[in-house]
């Protein structure tokens, strides 16, 4: 099993972004904003996003956060060492960024054919847990240009929309988190009773929260983890994946969050040259 990964430095925020199409004012600049209401909307179900940097960046992941993509959507990522190069140093080919459950892993009829862990829907559903995250992991490369092709021909809305682009290199500790990680679906809705005694619900936004314990950090991993805490704190979001590239896509999808640390707790030294720390990530 691959150890957890944290992408805490989003290189996409330093890039110049362009898109092959946009609906009205819903352009690529919205991909650099941490708001579910800020989206890049294509005029159809296909989109090409180009990211260009003034200097080379180390890239090992591309994630499209909060999208209306279904499990049949495709994505292709190409990376170029220099903007004018014709031959890419990275080409993922066509991949499924938010794939369905592997056929045969669940009894027939338990899940609909082609379903995954996401609640599909456009931007109007995202506050209540709708939308899908698409991700591609690969070996780190240094590039100055990324070309990301995405298409989702079966999107019910008839167009493709994406809220956030996350790309860069990640940190993965030598020793994985302890067993006992907790995934909490948080729902801010409140129940109340009417004068006639009926039970009603005030619907409010929902999100996921993931709690883990890093119990066996090496000295090198402790230093990297401390850097994450100091640079990102509680204010800067990061991409967190507890089961990256898992053979079970639903397990990875449920435990991958784009969010912020909701705790800054002590980093302990339980025994010689081994360190431990809890971490909680709350989805934005």
């Amino acid at each position: 099993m691959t150890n957890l990964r944290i992408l805490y430095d989003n290189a996409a925020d330093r890039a110049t972004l362009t898109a092959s199409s946009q609906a009205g004012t819903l352009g690529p600049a919205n991909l650099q904003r941490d708001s579910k209401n800020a989206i890049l909307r294509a005029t159809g179900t296909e989109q090409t996003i180009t990211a260009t940097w003034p200097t080379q960046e180390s890239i090992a992941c591309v994630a499209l956060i909060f999208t209306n993509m279904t499990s049949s959507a495709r994505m292709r990522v190409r990376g170029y060492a220099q903007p004018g190069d014709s031959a890419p140093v990275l080409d993922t080919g066509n991949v499924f960024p938010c794939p369905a459950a592997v056929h045969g892993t669940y009894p027939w009829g338990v899940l609909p054919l082609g379903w995954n862990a996401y609640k599909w829907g456009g931007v109007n559903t995202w506050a209540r847990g709708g939308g899908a995250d698409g991700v591609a992991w690969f070996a780190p490369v240094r590039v100055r240009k990324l070309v990301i092709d995405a298409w989702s021909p079966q999107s019910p809305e008839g167009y493709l929309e994406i809220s956030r682009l996350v790309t860069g290199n990640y940190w993965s500790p030598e020793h994985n988190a302890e067993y006992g990680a907790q995934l909490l679906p948080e729902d801010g809705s409140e129940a109340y009773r009417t004068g006639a005694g009926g039970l009603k619900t005030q619907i409010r936004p929902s999100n996921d929260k993931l709690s883990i314990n890093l119990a066996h950090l090496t000295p090198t991993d402790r230093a990297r983890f401390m850097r994450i805490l100091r640079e990102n704190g509680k204010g800067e979001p990061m991409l967190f994946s507890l089961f990256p590239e898992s053979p079970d896509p639903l397990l990875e999808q449920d435990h991958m969050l784009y969010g912020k640390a909701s705790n800054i707790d002590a980093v302990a030294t339980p025994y010689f040259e081994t360190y431990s720390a809890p971490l909680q990530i709350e989805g934005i």
Side-chain angles (χ1 to χ4, degrees):
M1 181 175 67
T2 305
N3 289 356
L4 67 89
R5 295 172 181 173
I6 300 178
L7 196 162
Y8 62 95
D9 179 22
N10 187 7
D13 289 348
R14 298 187 290 273
T16 300
L17 302 180
T18 60
S20 58
S21 71
Q22 69 178 65
T25 59
L26 303 178
N30 287 335
L31 297 175
Q32 297 171 319
R33 297 177 57 192
D34 289 316
S35 172
K36 294 178 182 178
N37 294 325
I39 60 171
L40 165 64
R41 180 177 293 170
T43 54
T45 57
E46 299 181 6
Q47 182 66 276
T48 298
I49 302 166
T50 303
T52 308
W53 291 273
T55 59
Q56 286 190 337
E57 297 278 352
S58 179
I59 306 295
C61 169
V62 169
L64 304 178
I65 304 299
F66 294 119
T67 77
N68 65 338
M69 293 191 296
T70 65
S71 59
S72 63
R74 304 288 204 282
M75 181 167 71
R76 181 185 182 188
V77 180
R78 286 167 290 168
Y80 298 85
Q82 299 297 330
D85 290 352
S86 58
V89 295
L90 163 72
D91 190 343
T92 63
N94 296 336
V95 298
F96 291 94
C98 43
V102 178
H103 184 63
T105 55
Y106 294 90
W108 182 262
V110 172
L111 290 173
L113 190 63
W115 199 250
N116 57 23
Y118 296 117
K119 176 184 173 184
W120 300 341
V123 64
N124 59 311
T125 72
W126 295 349
R128 292 292 302 159
D133 298 335
V135 64
W137 303 99
F138 40 84
V141 293
R142 296 194 66 83
V143 300
R144 280 191 58 198
K145 178 182 175 182
L146 276 182
V147 178
I148 306 160
D149 299 312
W151 58 100
S152 185
Q154 296 183 14
S155 292
E157 293 78 18
Y159 48 79
L160 178 60
E161 52 191 6
I162 305 165
S163 177
R164 196 67 164 96
L165 172 63
V166 178
T167 185
N169 209 341
Y170 56 82
W171 169 68
S172 184
E174 182 177 339
H175 304 292
N176 213 3
E178 278 190 323
Y179 285 108
Q182 297 180 348
L183 176 64
L184 174 64
E186 294 186 315
D187 192 332
S189 300
E190 295 182 359
Y192 66 95
R193 291 197 179 273
T194 65
L199 182 63
K200 301 291 185 178
T201 304
Q202 176 66 48
I203 301 299
R204 290 182 178 156
S206 63
N207 62 276
D208 288 340
K209 186 175 183 178
L210 190 60
S211 300
I212 65 167
N213 187 35
L214 299 166
H216 303 284
L217 292 172
T218 65
T220 300
D221 286 334
R222 181 208 63 81
R224 290 291 299 276
F225 184 69
M226 289 299 297
R227 178 181 176 183
I228 293 173
L229 294 182
R230 289 192 173 109
E231 291 190 355
N232 290 59
K234 293 184 177 181
E236 291 296 323
M238 62 188 92
L239 180 66
F240 181 93
S241 182
L242 184 57
F243 299 105
E245 299 185 281
S246 171
D248 182 357
L250 277 66
L251 184 67
E252 178 177 9
Q253 291 161 1
D254 274 330
H255 294 83
M256 187 177 76
L257 291 179
Y258 179 67
K260 301 178 181 181
S262 58
N263 71 308
I264 301 293
D265 291 328
V267 177
T269 309
Y271 46 92
F272 180 68
E273 288 196 342
T274 299
Y275 308 89
S276 67
L279 180 62
Q280 295 178 350
I281 301 291
E282 186 169 346
I284 64 170

